[in-house]
Amino acid sequence: MTDRPERQALGGTGNTGVQRVRAPGEQPCGRTPARGKVKYLQSLIMGLGLLAFGTGFQAASAQPIPEEVDVALVLAVDISYSMDMDELALQRSGYRAAITSDEVMQAIAGGLTGKIAVLYLEWAGSESQAILVDWHVISSPQDAANFAAALAETPVRRAYRTAIGDALLYSAAQFDRMPVAAMKRVIDVSGDGPNNQGTFAPVARDEVIAKGIVINGLPLQLKLRSSSWSDMDNLDVYYETCVIGGPGAFVVPVRGADRFAEAIRRKLVLEIAGTPPSEETARVIRAATGIDPLCLEGERRWQMRNRYEDQ
């Protein structure tokens, strides 16, 4: 019989004989029940998930929004040996004068953003493509002057063969690396002869326009040389049939060196303003079910030339 009857009344074991009243669901020896562990882990996982989400959201929101322009324009310029050095110099000066002209600057200012992005590249054979002036955003006369100055610094050169198809594919690839977002993407391709090497022009055309890119043409007939195997009297028809494509695609033929600068200026205004030159040339060129024989004229002429030289 103990002298502390109250302890005996409470009962229990241990040195004191006192049995502690446990909280509902509590386990002996301070152990957390399995259900409690699950809830704890769930809370921990949820907390870590929210932390990760918050960090990811902050990182995503920290990404800069690309600058937006009305038109992204690739000027793809032919430098094949069928053009002499005078024609190449005229071509270069024509683009420099056009991009800085009042008419082009007014067309730029009239857009939704008042800005365009321009890249200038030269091409010839299937392995001859080079960027002379990379993407420039033009929104002011000073921007245009900077572009023209950069173009003036590069030497004039020539290269062999005429691979329009590969020039189109190379030009289209430049839109994947431009630093801006464009409402419209356009390739402005100039040339003085038909495709005679590499990817067939209409095959490349169909691939490019399937990406939502418009192709406009500037067929050049600056100096008619009737004795040349590469000259085509109907080069403008060739470009319409085999090269250009997309909504509102058009050609601006250049017949004579004295009209070259004006033709480039007019073409740039039409491309920037987004208005086609006439009802006749504003059309959508759809992917062909086969290759028009006209589109193989350049390849045929090249084969004839080789046969003649082999004789």
Side-chain angles (χ1 to χ4, degrees):
M1 178 70 66
T2 178
D3 57 352
R4 302 294 295 273
E6 64 277 14
R7 292 186 180 179
Q8 188 176 20
L10 291 171
T13 59
N15 295 332
T16 62
V18 177
Q19 182 179 19
R20 185 170 62 85
V21 179
R22 302 187 186 97
E26 184 180 352
Q27 298 296 316
C29 303
R31 290 180 294 175
T32 304
R35 185 169 57 184
K37 287 184 177 180
V38 171
K39 290 183 177 180
Y40 173 75
L41 290 174
Q42 288 176 338
S43 300
L44 180 61
I45 292 171
M46 183 177 294
L48 292 174
L50 289 173
L51 179 62
F53 174 79
T55 304
F57 179 78
Q58 290 177 354
S61 61
Q63 294 294 326
I65 299 174
E67 185 176 8
E68 189 167 319
V69 299
D70 294 308
V71 181
L73 180 62
V74 171
L75 302 175
V77 180
D78 181 12
I79 57 164
S80 58
Y81 265 95
S82 55
M83 297 180 66
D84 60 36
M85 294 302 291
D86 290 340
E87 291 172 325
L88 293 174
L90 177 66
Q91 186 171 238
R92 181 76 64 82
S93 63
Y95 277 104
R96 290 174 53 209
I99 203 71
T100 56
S101 67
D102 292 338
E103 295 90 337
V104 169
M105 293 310 304
Q106 289 171 6
I108 294 173
L112 292 176
T113 69
K115 294 181 285 188
I116 66 170
V118 185
L119 178 146
Y120 188 103
L121 65 86
E122 292 179 339
W123 61 273
S126 58
E127 300 297 326
S128 299
Q129 301 97 21
I131 297 172
L132 271 67
V133 183
D134 212 339
W135 287 112
H136 266 55
V137 174
I138 298 178
S139 61
S140 68
Q142 185 59 54
D143 295 334
N146 292 341
F147 182 90
L151 184 57
E153 293 174 358
T154 60
V156 176
R157 67 186 185 93
R158 291 194 292 175
Y160 289 102
R161 305 294 292 271
T162 303
I164 299 174
D166 291 318
L168 293 177
L169 296 176
Y170 184 84
S171 298
Q174 305 315 310
F175 293 111
D176 296 333
R177 46 176 293 276
M178 65 180 181
V180 298
M183 299 180 187
K184 184 179 181 181
R185 297 172 295 166
V186 179
I187 296 173
D188 181 342
V189 58
S190 67
D192 74 333
N195 192 83
N196 60 45
Q197 187 183 45
T199 308
F200 293 139
V203 172
R205 183 268 315 277
D206 292 347
E207 181 176 334
V208 170
I209 66 174
K211 299 178 180 179
I213 301 169
V214 177
I215 305 169
N216 296 324
L218 192 73
L220 307 176
Q221 294 172 296
L222 304 180
K223 297 178 182 178
L224 288 180
R225 296 170 286 263
S226 57
S227 59
S228 174
W229 62 270
S230 62
D231 281 345
M232 290 183 69
D233 292 335
N234 59 340
L235 186 62
D236 54 340
V237 178
Y238 176 89
Y239 263 69
E240 289 178 357
T241 306
C242 314
V243 179
I244 69 170
F250 63 89
V251 298
V252 176
V254 182
R255 297 184 178 91
D258 57 330
R259 304 177 183 178
F260 185 76
E262 172 57 30
I264 294 177
R265 182 164 57 250
R266 176 170 175 259
K267 190 167 186 290
L268 289 179
V269 169
L270 293 171
E271 288 165 336
I272 296 167
T275 54
S278 68
E279 289 294 332
E280 290 74 19
T281 54
R283 58 198 179 101
V284 177
I285 308 299
R286 295 178 175 84
T289 56
I291 297 179
D292 190 302
L294 176 64
C295 301
L296 301 178
E297 181 66 15
E299 287 82 359
R300 186 185 67 81
R301 293 187 180 202
W302 184 263
Q303 291 176 357
M304 291 179 59
R305 173 181 179 274
N306 289 340
R307 291 194 193 104
Y308 177 80
E309 291 181 349
D310 290 340
Q311 293 177 354

